[in-house]
């Protein structure tokens, strides 16, 4: 009985269950015998199925005693892995254990004891005095898992975070660095600090590639065909396989090399290590371990690890390698005192103090005699960069219904092959065929029913689509996701930089004077504002810096600062060295905008430095912008003044909550709503005068929360964020195609709603219901307040509308897509997720605007949408969208930075016009995959039928007949039919999503039956002809005068074709089946509405035309050389005409079934109704409506479709909500959380 498994990485994305095993001798002997008897096939099977390999050679044991581990992921893929358990010796059980460092034994090369696959026998003698501990571990996906006796399971040592240190502990206990011995000890557990992307040799890649089941099956086919002397076709398959393998090896090798080159730039660099408080030494970055202290040089460096800044240093960092955002970020030192100092260090929470591996430190700011230091937190694959590389090296399998259905369909073909296999054996035994022939022919039927060229043919459409995407500036690193793009029915958009322009223009400012707003002012740089606190806040509250003489930083900060006209000056390294305190960044107004009183002091001479410096302001300390806090602040000192000032800017709602109530105008809410309602982005400013006793040193250790309180509200900055020119048109195109669009932004709610209306995401007549959620407080439970963003009286009455149900995309009111939308803030989203989980899915079904969303909330939203069965696309500019871009089915980044590897698709055009292009190409590639799969399936079945009929008379198709069919017809057709470009517009009807669906099964089955009927008809008819006889080399059916004599001239001693290829049945079936391949190819190669019509695909049309002409010519006007080559025999002209009639009628019947019955009648009356809902579409006339209703009812009953429930979860929700009288919630009502699964809604 299987013992209870242990779960590792619990709650994480790579959660796995683990079982322990130890080798079993008798099982291994049995497997060895089985491998010998099967010719190695058993070993191949065990290679493909690791769980069978482990269970077949090992027995269960405890994890502590296991030699081999069996791992299974807990996600929907349930992947199996095996891992070998290794043992190493170390003085302690973990990297942070307290050990006697003198007992660490040095090996001859000077390094500490490192990992051993098995324990070295000589080592215990060397280490006997130190009593080394045996530590069991295994490696999986570049991560080491160590056995922990306390937890009785395997654990990962990530880094310094494992100690759960507070920020002050890092300053006090880990700021002096590690000794050499301690560093060597920790390196036993963390190994070298290197993100090692090993580029496998071509030989290893070749072995892995050829052991693919597809190539093994091809090898089996080639061996079988060679035994039967089908050398030409076998050689052709070998050639195709060689090209396929070579191409695959080149692509894989290239990807490995690119990834290796990408990470190698920071893998090995020289660093300056601190040993104690004073000692420093140069070392290689590969020697670093968590706890080491490194010095960040003034001229910057590429970070080789994750490290946290300490001792007051600041760094300007470019994090584009991780986020795709090229805007430099200011990193400050970790707080070491106050309330912030007591918090436990967390990489995510304290990321503004953390330098991440692979990011580029542009410059540092430091004190005289002091160094900018950082404590190493994580190394190697545990770093943020390492985790990103791991996700590229070991991606999750693509979960796409097409591929799952394709495997099921192939299993059906294998079943068909099994029937043919048994049929052939029974028939051959009845005719007393030699055993060798029985084996060969029965195996051959399998190679016919399952086409070896299927995967290559299906890949062609994706390759062509990828090339077309490249031409329009869309680059893809995950080609299999192109097909997924064809199924997108919901796309999430970031706002700033995606829907709207990247840059913000300053529309104006509105200051507060005497507790009320003054009129808006357009010019922020006029003289009268120079000496105001409002202007001082605009000039200082930012994180700008000068890089090579150019101002650099956040675009909003740049626009705000440039509007003031002030000048920013930073101290040089030489100036810093002359002073004790750090030289602050200084801002000052240009001389020409100073007040006249100061300019008139010396009209003819330049103003003295002492007079000019009266307006200079030094930035003493920065608290960088935090997306979680939605604000930033600075501490400044005006030259000549003793006391310091604090300035704050951020989201208006946040800033006012930190200000004294008497300083906030009464009209604040109305003023803010008037601006945000017009689509402006509004930023609030605040000021606080600090106590004069606060010294520079005290400010450096001041807690942010203490500083950012009791502020004075200064006013508003109004920024204009214009829609991109293409936005409205693209969103209209998506809406017309029934593709739902959402906005997910970090901006203000009302601004987001206004932009959503401007771009057409929300139309003028549609309601917007804002859901404000609140956490439980005292005895009051969590609640949601529902309010309308506009007065509902100005909008159509909900009760007067006829609401129809569109099962594909929810409600439709009066022919419109939606009648109302929800808008949710990030704060409300968090509360609803925790306290109202039963409402969450209902909410996202109708929510269109998500404002003030944090990056992790964007990812969470994508997951929720996927959980209700949406196929989700995400489009962002690369900043703060990386998680959502990776999580979505298809993420497209508008960032051109090559370093951004978070998104499967990257567009070189900086607008959302790439989205419909991607969906169009995805739909075309998806339909192409369906067409090719159906064609290849019919090809195998048609050939299977021909061979089965011929087997009944101990005949077969000839070698060159197989060659002509497989190469000249099938392969050329399969590759050229994939060349249809995408249709120029997105249609409302979605493409099919499954091979195992009504329309596709009907299509395939009707064509199979049609081909079967006409092949059997031709086979029976030819045997009933008056001239028919059992063909011999002396037969001459073409010459009617010899027909009567042919029976008398049969000589049993004449040489007869021992394979019985040449006969009338073979010739007839060869001609009929050849035309059937062409007929189904043309019928299946569909154009509109997802691809351009096939007549525009000239290679395909030319191929079909040439093949038709060639086949008609050799059938009606036989050429002896061609007949001999194809091993076909001469038949009377009348029979040739009969075959022409058969193939023409066959083509017409096939066309009628596919086009008239399926595309027109069934799609319109049955399948479209099931897919889109009964309320879809409006008939042209009452008579047509009655006919459609009658036909739909009858056919729905015939196909058992009448009561079929929607398959997707979001459609089921739409059905439920249609009958819910309390949904949507009425305005001015509150919903309270009463129990985990219920809620109560009451009027306010």
């Amino acid at each position: 009985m299987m013992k209870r498994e242990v779960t590792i990485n619990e709650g994480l994305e790579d959660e796995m269950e683990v079982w322990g095993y130890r080798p079993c001798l008798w099982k291994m002997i049995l497997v060895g015998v089985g491998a010998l008897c099967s010719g190695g096939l058993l070993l191949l099977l065990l290679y493909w199925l690791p769980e069978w390999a482990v269970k077949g050679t090992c027995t269960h044991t405890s994890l502590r005693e296991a030699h081999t581990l069996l791992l299974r992921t807990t996600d929907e893929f349930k992947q199996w892995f095996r891992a070998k358990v290794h043992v190493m010796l170390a003085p302690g059980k973990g990297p942070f254990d307290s050990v006697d460092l003198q007992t660490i034994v040095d090996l001859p090369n000077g390094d500490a004891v490192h990992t051993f696959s098995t324990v070295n026998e000589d080592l215990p003698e060397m280490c006997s005095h130190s009593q080394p501990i045996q530590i069991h571990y295994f490696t999986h996906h570049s991560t080491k898992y160590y056995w922990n006796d306390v937890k009785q399971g395997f654990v990962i040592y990530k880094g310094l975070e494992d100690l759960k240190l507070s920020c002050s502990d890092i300053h006090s206990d880990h700021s002096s660095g590690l000794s050499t011995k301690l560093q060597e000890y920790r390196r036993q557990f963390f190994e070298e600090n290197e993100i090692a992307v090993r580029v496998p040799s071509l030989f290893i890649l070749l072995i892995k590639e050829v052991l693919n089941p597809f190539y093994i099956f091809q090898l089996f086919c080639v061996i079988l065909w060679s035994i039967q002397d089908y050398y030409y076709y076998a050689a052709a398959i070998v050639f195709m396989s060689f090209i396929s393998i070579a191409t695959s090896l080149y692509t894989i090798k290239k990807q490995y090399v690119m990834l290796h080159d990408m990470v190698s730039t920071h893998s090995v660099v020289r660093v300056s290590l601190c040993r104690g408080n004073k000692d420093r030494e140069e070392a290689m970055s590969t020697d670093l371990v968590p706890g080491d202290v490194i010095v960040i040089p003034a001229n910057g460096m590429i970070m080789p690890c994750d490290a946290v800044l300490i001792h007051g240093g600041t760094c300007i960092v470019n994090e584009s390698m991780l986020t795709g955002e090229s805007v430099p970020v200011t990193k400050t030192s970790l707080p070491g005192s106050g309330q912030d100092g007591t918090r436990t260090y967390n990489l995510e929470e304290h990321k503004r103090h953390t330098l991440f591996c692979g990011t580029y430190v542009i410059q540092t700011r430091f004190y005289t005699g002091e160094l900018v230091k950082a404590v190493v937190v994580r190394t190697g694959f545990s770093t943020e960069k390492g985790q990103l590389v791991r996700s590229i090296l070991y991606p999750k399998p693509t979960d796409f219904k097409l591929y799952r259905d394709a495997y099921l369909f192939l299993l059906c073909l294998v079943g068909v092959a099994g029937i043919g296999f048994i049929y052939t054996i029974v028939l051959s035994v009845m005719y007393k065929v030699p055993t060798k022939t029985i084996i060969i022919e029965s195996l051959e039927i399998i190679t016919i029913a399952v086409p070896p060229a299927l995967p290559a043919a299906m890949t062609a459409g994706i390759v062509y689509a990828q090339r077309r995407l490249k031409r329009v500036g869309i680059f893809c690193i995950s080609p299999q996701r192109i097909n997924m793009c064809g199924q997108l029915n919901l796309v999430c958009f970031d706002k700033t930089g995606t829907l709207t322009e990247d840059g913000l223009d300053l529309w104006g400012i509105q200051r507060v004077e005497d507790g009320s707003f003054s009129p808006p002012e357009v010019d922020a740089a006029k003289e009268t504002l120079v000496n105001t606190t409002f202007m001082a806040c605009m000039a200082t509250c930012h994180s700008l810096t000068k890089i090579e003489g150019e101002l650099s930083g956040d675009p909003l900060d740049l626009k705000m600062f440039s509007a003031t006209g002030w000048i920013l000056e930073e101290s040089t390294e030489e100036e810093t060295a002359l002073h004790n305190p750090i030289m602050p960044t200084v801002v000052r107004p240009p001389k020409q905008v100073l007040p006249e009183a100061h300019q008139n002091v010396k009209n003819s001479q330049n103003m003295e430095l002492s007079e000019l410096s009266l307006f200079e302001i030094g930035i003493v300390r920065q608290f960088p912008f935090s997306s979680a806090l939605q604000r930033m602040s600075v501490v400044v000192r005006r030259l000549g003044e003793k006391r310091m000032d604090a300035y704050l800017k951020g989201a208006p709602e946040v800033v006012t909550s930190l200000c004294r109530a008497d300083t906030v105008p009464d009209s604040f809410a109305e003023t803010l709503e008037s601006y945000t309602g017009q689509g402006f982005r509004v930023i609030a400013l605040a000021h606080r005068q600090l106590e004069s006793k606060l010294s520079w040193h005290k400010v450096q250790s001041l807690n942010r929360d203490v500083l950012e309180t009791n502020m004075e509200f200064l006013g508003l900055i109004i920024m204009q964020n214009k829609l991109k020119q293409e936005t409205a048109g693209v969103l209209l195109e998506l809406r017309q195609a029934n593709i739902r669009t959402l906005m997910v932004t970090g901006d203000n709610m009302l601004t987001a709603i206004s932009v959503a209306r401007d771009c057409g995401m929300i139309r003028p007549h549609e309601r917007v219901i804002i859901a404000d959620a609140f956490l439980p407080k005292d005895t009051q439970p969590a609640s949601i307040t529902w309010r309308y963003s506009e007065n509902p009286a100005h909008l159509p009455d909900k009760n007067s509308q006829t609401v129809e149900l569109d099962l594909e995309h929810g409600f439709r009111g009066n022919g419109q897509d939606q009648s109302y939308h929800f808008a949710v803030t990030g704060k409300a989203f968090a509360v609803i997720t925790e306290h109202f989980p039963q409402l969450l899915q209902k909410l996202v079904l109708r929510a269109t605007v998500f404002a003030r969303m944090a990056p992790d909330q964007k990812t969470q939203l994508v997951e929720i949408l996927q959980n209700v069965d949406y196929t989700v696309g995400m489009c962002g500019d690369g900043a703060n969208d990386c998680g959502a871009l990776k999580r979505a089915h298809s993420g497209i980044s508008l960032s051109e930075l090559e370093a951004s590897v978070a998104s499967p698709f990257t567009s070189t055009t900086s607008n959302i016009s790439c989205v419909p292009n991607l969906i169009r190409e995805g739909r075309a590639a998806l339909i192409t995959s369906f067409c090719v799969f159906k064609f290849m399936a019919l090809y195998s079945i048609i050939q299977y039928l021909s061979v089965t009929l011929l087997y009944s008379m101990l005949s077969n198709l000839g070698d060159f007949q197989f060659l002509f069919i497989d190469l000249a017809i099938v392969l050329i057709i399969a590759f050229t039919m994939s060349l249809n470009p995408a249709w120029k517009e997105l249609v409302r009807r979605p493409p099919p999503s499954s091979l195992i669906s009504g329309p596709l099964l009907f299509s395939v089955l009707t064509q199979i039956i049609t081909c079967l009927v006409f092949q059997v008809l031709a086979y029976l008819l030819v045997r009933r002809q008056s001239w028919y006889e059992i063909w011999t080399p002396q037969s001459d059916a073409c010459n009617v005068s010899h027909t009567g004599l042919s029976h008398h001239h049969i000589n049993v001693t004449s040489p007869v074709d021992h394979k019985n290829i040449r006969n009338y049945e073979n010739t007839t079936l060869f001609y009929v089946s050849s035309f059937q391949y062409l007929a189904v190819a043309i019928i299946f190669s569909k154009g509109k509405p997802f691809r351009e019509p096939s007549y525009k695909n000239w290679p395909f049309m030319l191929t079909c035309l040439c093949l038709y002409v060639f086949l008609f010519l050799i059938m009606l006007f036989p050429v002896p050389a061609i007949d001999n080559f194809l091993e076909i025999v001469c038949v009377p002209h009348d029979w040739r005409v009969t075959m022409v009639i058969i193939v023409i009628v066959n083509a017409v019947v096939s066309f009628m079934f596919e086009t008239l019955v399926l595309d027109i009648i069934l799609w319109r009356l049955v399948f479209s109704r099931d897919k889109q809902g009964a309320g879809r579409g409006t008939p042209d006339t009452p008579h047509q409506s009655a006919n459609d209703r009658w036909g739909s009812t009858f056919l729905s009953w015939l196909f058992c479709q009448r009561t079929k429930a929607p398959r997707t979860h979001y459609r089921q929700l739409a059905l439920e909500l249609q009958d819910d009288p309390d949904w949507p919630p009425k305005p001015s009502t509150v919903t309270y959380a009463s129990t985990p699964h219920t809620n109560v809604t009451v009027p306010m």
Side-chain angles (χ1 to χ4, degrees), residues 421-456:
F421 180 81
I422 297 169
Y423 165 79
T424 305
I425 292 176
V426 172
L427 200 65
S428 299
V429 170
M430 289 172 60
Y431 282 100
K432 298 181 180 179
V433 175
T435 305
K436 179 184 175 183
T437 307
I438 294 176
I439 294 172
I440 291 174
E441 291 190 347
S442 57
L443 289 175
E444 186 188 19
I445 202 78
I446 297 175
T447 68
I448 292 171
V450 184
L454 177 62

Side-chain angles (χ1 to χ4, degrees), residues 615 753 815 1029 1035:
F615 294 93
I753 293 174
E1029 64 179 356
S1035 298

